[in-house]
């Protein structure tokens, strides 16, 4: 947090300010719009349609509209923040401004978990369509199609290709991406337009009706079927904000417009997919993603139409099956690098990640690191359908910060110049927070447990790298806390996976419930106790960094508890919609606690000074 040099060496914050100045400010409104739209229109349109229909049937059309609307509410709050404080890697830097080092690190780590996986998941989508004519890429394990070693090898090659597209600099990336995004947009439009000619109206009412799996499935599909995952690409204009020519004007426009356009596109595609279905023998809604349609759903539908023009166009769709996910992949490759850059700028990770290439003006060490880390994610989730729930929930967790940060900055930085000021923010902010939190809740107990505990598993790094250096926490204490937290959290996570969440577990439901509750209570005690103990060990001015995190841990553990016994859990005692109504009330309470916990940090003061100097250079 300190802004002075330590032992004659520059701090991460000082280095970050110099690095920010070196970034090339060349992105136009068009570039930012196509970066966000390109981040949205990726594998979601190729595989999200069938995944959503597999969960909710024809009602998945509503899922896309609701999911897009929720993301729009959240994006509106970020639009005001980034117009006032444009930064590269912005999403992981703003929580640091609003809450300081502890919550800032947690949110940065949670976002990084999701961002690093996206290039890998987009590669999965490309290989899924490629498997229709290239054999040996996938094989079936436990009823799920997963990558073979050959498929993983091809995926790694694609990540290397994404790396080189980013290596040539932001100007090349923006112009190349704009051309590719036009292709990514036009082909889906032609796809739904052609399929509208062969719509079968009975698909919307037969085969179980419009709600074949119940009304609750509309909401379950939003986080688990790739819907939220698809829309979350809007943040690209935010993450590249430090490289924009006129960020304060262009970022809000690019962000909002990209979501509105994509809501229309995805809704039309879902209507087309459901209406054009020709049912394979023995297949129903719930088995769509394991049927012959799963690898290339729109390609198969166009060919099954038995119209020569549509069959020929299907091969152009295969081009988009490469371009769409690849475009999102290379955008996220650059975005992941900016995320690492942003976390390092906050002082959490090594300052080497802040190095800018002299010629291309990109954070090249961060780009190399992000590419190597992204390759790891082919191993634990070697299937597109296995990736989606985890990525969506981990990223939504970080987006919840937008509404509370907006109101925190309004309270503690009222004189900050805001080119875009969100109307009705006091109403939109809580709606955005609650709706985003519900997306997490709807993802189900298995996904929530993996996301929350994996996020907690990364916090010990804070104690090992940041706390002793920046908060003057005794090293012996910091290292002990970090190691103990890591061991206990890792043990409880593995224990839950093996004896509670894993379907093949032979324990009775009563035993699973007992194990789950023991693990949950243990986690709550561990994290609240160590956080309180740490607050008692630091100086008075740093205590607020830890006391301002209690609402976040409370949200984790309350969500886990209700989820297990709710409609999306393992032992449903609170059925839908009562569980969702209960969580609306819970999240509203948490929202107001989060607002109260926000404060004016030193980093926010410095960021405001930087904005004022850039707006009034005569004062410098």
């Amino acid at each position: 947090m300190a802004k002075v040099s330590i032992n004659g060496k520059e701090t991460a914050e000082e280095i970050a300010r110099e690095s920010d100045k070196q970034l090339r400010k060349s992105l136009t409104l068009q570039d930012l719009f196509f970066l966000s739209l390109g981040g949205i229109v990726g594998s979601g349109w190729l595989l999200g349609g069938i995944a959503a229909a597999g969960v909710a049937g024809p009602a998945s059309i509503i899922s896309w509209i609701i999911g897009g609307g929720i993301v729009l509410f959240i994006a509106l709050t970020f639009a005001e923040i980034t117009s006032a404080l444009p930064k590269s890697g912005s999403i992981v830097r703003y929580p640091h401004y609003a809450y300081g080092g502890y919550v800032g690190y947690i949110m940065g780590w949670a976002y990084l978990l999701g961002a690093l996986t996206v290039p890998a998941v987009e590669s999965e989508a490309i290989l899924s369509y490629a498997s229709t004519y290239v054999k040996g890429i996938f094989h079936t394990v436990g009823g799920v199609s997963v990558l073979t070693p050959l498929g993983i090898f091809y995926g790694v090659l694609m990540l290397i290709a994404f790396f080189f597209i980013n290596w040539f600099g932001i100007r090349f990336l923006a112009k190349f991406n704009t051309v590719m995004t036009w292709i990514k947009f036009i082909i889906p439009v032609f796809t739904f337009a052609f399929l509208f000619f062969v719509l079968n109206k009975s698909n919307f009412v037969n085969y179980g009706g419009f709600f074949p799996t119940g009304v609750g499935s509309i909401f379950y599909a939003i986080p688990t079927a790739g819907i939220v995952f698809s829309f979350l690409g809007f943040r690209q204009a935010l993450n590249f904000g430090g490289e924009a020519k006129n960020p304060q004007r262009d970022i809000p426009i690019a962000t909002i417009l990209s979501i509105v356009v994509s809501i229309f596109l995805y809704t039309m595609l879902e209507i087309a997919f459901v209406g054009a279905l020709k049912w394979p023998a023995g297949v129903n809604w719930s088995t769509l993603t394991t049927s012959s349609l799963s690898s290339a759903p729109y390609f198969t539908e166009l060919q099954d139409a038995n119209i020569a023009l549509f069959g020929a166009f299907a091969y152009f769709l295969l081009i988009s099956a490469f371009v769409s996910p690849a475009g999102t992949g290379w955008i996220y490759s650059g975005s992941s690098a900016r995320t690492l850059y942003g976390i390092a700028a906050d002082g959490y990770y090594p300052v080497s990640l802040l190095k800018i290439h002299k010629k291309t003006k990109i954070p090249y060490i961060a780009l190399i690191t992000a590419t190597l880390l992204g390759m790891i994610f082919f191993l634990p989730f070697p299937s597109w359908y296995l990736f989606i729930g985890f990525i969506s929930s981990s990223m939504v967790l970080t987006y919840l910060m937008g509404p509370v940060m907006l109101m925190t900055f309004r309270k503690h930085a009222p004189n900050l110049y805001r080119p875009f000021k969100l109307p009705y923010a006091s109403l939109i902010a809580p709606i955005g927070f609650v709706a985003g939190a519900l997306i997490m809740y709807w993802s189900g107990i298995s996904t929530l447990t993996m996301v929350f505990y994996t996020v907690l598993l990364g916090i010990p790094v804070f104690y090992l790298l940041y706390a002793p250096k920046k908060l003057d926490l005794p090293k012996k204490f910091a290292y002990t806390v970090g190691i103990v937290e890591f061991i206990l959290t890792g043990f409880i996570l593995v224990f839950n996976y093996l004896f509670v969440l894993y379907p093949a577990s032979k324990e009775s439901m009563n035993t699973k419930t007992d194990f789950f509750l023991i693990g949950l209570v243990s986690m709550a005690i561990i994290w609240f106790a160590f956080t309180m103990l740490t607050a008692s060990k630091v100086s008075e001015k740093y205590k607020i960094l830890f006391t301002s995190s209690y609402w976040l841990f409370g949200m984790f553990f309350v969500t886990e508890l209700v989820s297990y016994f709710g409609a999306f859990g393992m032992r449903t005692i609170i059925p839908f919609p009562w569980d969702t109504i209960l969580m609306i009330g819970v999240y509203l309470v948490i929202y107001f606690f989060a607002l109260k916990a926000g404060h004016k940090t030193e980093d926010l003061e410095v960021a405001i000074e930087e904005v004022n100097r850039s707006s009034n250079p005569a004062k410098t």
Side-chain angles (χ1 to χ4, degrees), residues 328-382:
T328 302
W330 66 60
I331 291 172
Y332 271 92
S333 181
S335 183
S336 298
R338 272 70 179 180
T339 300
L340 281 170
Y341 175 93
I343 297 176
D346 288 333
Y348 303 121
Y349 288 172
V351 294
S352 58
L353 293 169
L354 296 172
K355 289 184 178 179
I356 304 297
H357 195 277
K358 291 182 179 179
K359 183 176 181 181
T360 60
K361 304 298 182 182
I362 62 167
Y364 70 100
I365 299 295
L367 178 61
I368 294 170
T369 305
T371 302
L372 293 175
L373 291 175
M375 293 177 183
I376 297 172
F377 288 92
F378 282 117
L379 300 178
F381 299 102

Side-chain angles (χ1 to χ4, degrees), residues 10-273:
E10 289 182 301
T11 63
E13 293 86 354
E14 291 170 329
I15 295 172
R17 288 197 291 275
E18 293 304 313
S19 295
D20 284 345
K21 294 175 184 177
Q22 295 177 46
L23 293 169
R24 180 167 285 150
K25 311 294 191 291
S26 60
L27 296 177
T28 64
L29 171 60
Q30 176 180 281
D31 295 332
L32 292 168
F33 169 69
F34 278 111
L35 280 169
S36 282
L37 186 63
I40 294 172
V41 184
S43 60
W45 92 263
L46 293 166
L47 299 174
I50 187 173
V55 174
S60 55
I61 297 165
I62 301 174
S63 302
W64 283 100
I65 297 171
I66 294 175
I70 291 173
V71 172
L72 181 59
F73 268 92
I74 295 172
L76 285 169
T77 64
F78 275 106
E80 175 175 315
I81 297 170
T82 31
S83 71
L85 296 168
K87 295 282 185 180
S88 282
S90 59
I91 288 181
V92 298
R93 297 173 81 169
Y94 297 145
H96 189 88
Y97 294 162
Y99 290 91
Y102 195 47
V103 173
Y105 175 79
I106 296 171
M107 289 296 106
W109 165 244
Y111 182 82
L112 184 63
L113 275 175
L116 286 173
T117 60
V118 175
V121 78
E122 297 300 337
S123 299
E124 298 261 359
I126 295 170
L127 294 171
S128 178
Y129 265 74
S131 67
T132 60
Y133 50 88
V134 178
K135 304 304 179 184
I137 297 178
F138 286 90
H139 63 133
T140 301
V141 177
V144 179
S145 181
V146 299
L147 287 174
T148 63
L150 178 63
I152 293 175
F153 173 73
Y154 287 148
V156 169
L157 289 182
M158 275 187 272
L159 293 195
I160 294 172
F162 299 161
F163 166 82
F164 280 109
I165 290 172
N166 279 273
W167 183 261
F168 291 111
I170 189 63
R171 187 177 295 166
F172 172 81
L173 172 66
K175 302 310 175 188
F176 182 75
N177 178 71
T178 296
V179 174
M180 293 296 104
T181 301
W182 272 114
I183 298 173
K184 291 168 61 174
F185 182 74
I186 291 171
I187 292 181
V189 169
F190 274 101
T191 298
F192 75 67
F194 285 156
L195 290 178
F196 275 5
F197 283 97
V198 292
L199 286 185
N200 180 0
K201 295 179 181 178
S202 67
N203 283 344
F204 296 96
V205 292
N206 294 338
Y207 310 101
F210 191 74
F211 302 98
T213 52
V215 176
S217 63
I218 294 175
F219 305 101
Y220 184 61
I222 294 173
T224 62
I227 293 175
V228 163
F229 167 76
S230 300
F231 286 117
L232 293 184
F234 80 84
R235 67 182 173 274
Q236 304 313 325
L238 312 180
N239 260 359
F240 287 90
E243 291 149 275
K245 284 184 178 179
N246 190 351
Q248 294 179 316
R249 182 200 68 184
D250 295 343
I251 291 175
I253 297 173
T255 301
I256 295 168
L257 186 59
S258 66
I259 297 175
V260 172
V261 170
S262 60
I263 290 174
F264 169 79
L265 178 65
Y266 278 120
T267 303
M268 293 298 102
L269 282 166
E270 191 68 21
I271 294 171
F273 174 78

Side-chain angles (χ1 to χ4, degrees), residues 427-442:
L427 179 63
I428 291 175
I431 291 174
F433 180 88
V434 171
L438 286 175
I439 290 177
M440 276 195 319
Y441 173 75
W442 293 329

Side-chain angles (χ1 to χ4, degrees), residues 417-466:
Y417 174 59
R418 295 169 169 84
F420 170 75
K421 191 166 185 178
L422 180 64
Y424 307 107
S426 59
L427 179 63
I428 291 175
I431 291 174
F433 180 88
V434 171
L438 286 175
I439 290 177
M440 276 195 319
Y441 173 75
W442 293 329
S443 66
I445 187 61
S446 297
T447 299
L448 281 174
T449 301
M450 296 301 291
V451 169
F452 287 158
Y453 289 11
T454 304
V455 169
L456 294 175
L457 202 61
I459 298 177
V461 177
F462 170 89
Y463 283 95
L464 300 178
L465 297 182
Y466 185 86

